[in-house]
Amino acid sequence: MSSAGRAKITRLNTNGALIKLGRGVYHDAEEFHLLLPSEQYRLRCLAAGIAGYEVVGVSAAALWGLPVSHIYSRVDVRGKPRVAPGLLRRAVPPECVIKKGIDGFEIPLTTPAATVADIARWYDMHEAVRVGDAAVIRRLTTIQALHEEEKRRYRRHGSPKMRQALRLINGLSESLRESDVKVALFRGGFPPPQQQTEIYDVRMVFIGRPDFLYPERSLALEYDGWNKTHGYYGNTADRAINLERARERRLVSEGINLIRITKDTYASGVWLDELKAMWNRGVPFPQSQLRGGGPAW
């Protein structure tokens, strides 16, 4: 820009009409403050990339459109001995950085597989498993690519924590809360359940596909998300609830003990107490009435 143009930008920033997101990157202030916090964070990550920083970690995940669960105060960037305020310098292998076109800009950021591996090193396991499952389901990466990134970081800071988190990523979790439940089961010391296994009745008529199943104990766990009580696929809320209850009755008739997890019971942890209480009550479910699915880890 010309000197006059730069001076105009400075004045607009000073009087509050523009907000500075990074070196040489500004946004309309009123429009910015109307955005959701997650979109504001994404724009701050984008601004770091426009300013020439290599975006990594949860910040790269935000730019890939992956489900970052928290709004972080700083943007993760690679390299450069000194970084601007609001940025957090991270050590990442240089070969993990690629360029991706985002909103008309070529942004340097880590690949989806490298992004997941680094989140597993630096952040909570819930964050890594959420982002990793979503990346695999959306075919942004593969389990094999995650293992390759694990090897690349084998002796780096946080590698034991990373290996533990990557074990739980299988691409079978169909919601963020399923990923959270899987992590809670792992941390609670439970063996790996089966995920997304189809259950049939004695006449081999399909009943349902619970989120998690312990077939050797005829125990199933299902997270009741928003659509279970508010309708889905064109069904009204009442019809959705009735369909879920009918499916539950059929599962119980076949000998499956079903634990339903809600937002409240998940937060309180009571569902884990229910699982412990019911752990020794069940008997093995017939393998002939099960199809598909896979181990949670």
Side-chain angles (χ1 to χ4, degrees):
M1 296 182 71
S2 65
S3 296
R6 290 196 297 271
K8 181 181 179 181
I9 292 295
T10 300
R11 285 196 303 272
L12 290 171
N13 177 228
T14 301
N15 65 26
L18 291 180
I19 184 170
K20 185 175 182 178
L21 299 181
R23 188 180 66 245
V25 186
Y26 297 81
H27 198 284
D28 181 274
E30 183 178 359
E31 186 179 289
F32 182 82
H33 291 305
L34 290 174
L35 296 172
L36 294 172
S38 59
E39 185 60 21
Q40 291 180 0
Y41 181 70
R42 177 185 175 276
L43 286 181
R44 290 198 287 114
C45 298
L46 181 62
I50 295 171
Y53 290 98
E54 296 173 346
V55 185
V56 304
V58 291
S59 306
L63 293 181
W64 282 109
L66 293 168
V68 177
S69 62
H70 298 286
I71 308 304
Y72 294 94
S73 59
R74 292 190 287 183
V75 175
D76 288 346
V77 297
R78 176 189 172 272
K80 294 193 178 183
R82 299 180 64 184
V83 296
L87 305 180
L88 180 60
R89 181 172 175 253
R90 299 287 198 178
V92 176
E95 61 271 21
C96 299
V97 178
I98 61 172
K99 286 196 173 182
K100 175 178 170 57
I102 303 173
D103 295 354
F105 298 95
E106 285 292 309
I107 305 299
L109 77 172
T110 43
T111 65
T115 297
V116 174
D118 287 328
I119 291 173
R121 289 198 293 144
W122 302 329
Y123 291 92
D124 186 79
M125 183 185 287
H126 281 95
E127 192 78 273
V129 177
R130 275 184 165 211
V131 172
D133 273 337
V136 173
I137 288 174
R138 297 178 193 179
R139 299 185 179 180
L140 291 176
T141 190
T142 63
I143 300 298
Q144 181 181 353
L146 291 175
H147 290 324
E148 290 170 359
E149 293 299 335
E150 178 185 342
K151 293 175 184 176
R152 188 173 280 136
R153 291 158 175 75
Y154 188 75
R155 294 186 182 277
R156 288 180 175 265
H157 173 72
S159 59
K161 180 181 171 184
M162 171 193 64
R163 288 192 293 273
Q164 196 176 58
L166 294 187
R167 282 180 57 194
L168 274 67
I169 297 170
N170 57 11
L172 292 174
S173 299
E174 296 181 343
S175 70
L176 299 180
R177 192 56 83 189
E178 281 183 47
S179 295
D180 293 344
V181 169
K182 179 166 54 175
V183 171
L185 289 171
F186 176 81
R187 285 178 165 169
F190 291 94
Q194 293 292 305
Q195 276 192 270
Q196 309 304 334
T197 297
E198 296 178 353
I199 299 178
Y200 294 79
D201 65 17
V202 291
R203 295 185 176 182
M204 292 310 293
V205 176
F206 177 71
I207 300 177
R209 190 181 60 176
D211 298 334
F212 300 96
L213 175 69
Y214 285 104
E216 68 280 4
R217 299 178 182 276
S218 294
L219 269 174
L221 296 94
E222 185 92 352
Y223 187 83
D224 284 344
W226 187 90
N227 61 358
K228 298 283 182 68
T229 55
H230 290 75
Y232 56 96
Y233 302 134
N235 291 318
T236 64
D238 288 343
R239 178 168 169 74
I241 292 172
N242 288 333
L243 287 172
E244 285 300 314
R245 293 296 174 258
R247 186 174 71 110
E248 181 177 338
R249 285 193 294 272
R250 293 184 65 196
L251 288 171
V252 171
S253 295
E254 292 297 319
I256 295 287
N257 289 314
L258 181 63
I259 297 175
R260 288 197 170 276
I261 308 170
T262 66
K263 181 180 179 180
D264 291 336
T265 62
Y266 177 82
S268 68
V270 68
W271 66 278
L272 285 170
D273 294 333
E274 292 171 347
L275 180 58
K276 293 173 184 175
M278 298 174 68
W279 189 251
N280 293 317
R281 296 183 190 175
V283 296
F285 191 79
Q287 285 293 323
S288 59
Q289 293 175 232
L290 302 177
R291 295 288 185 276
W297 61 83

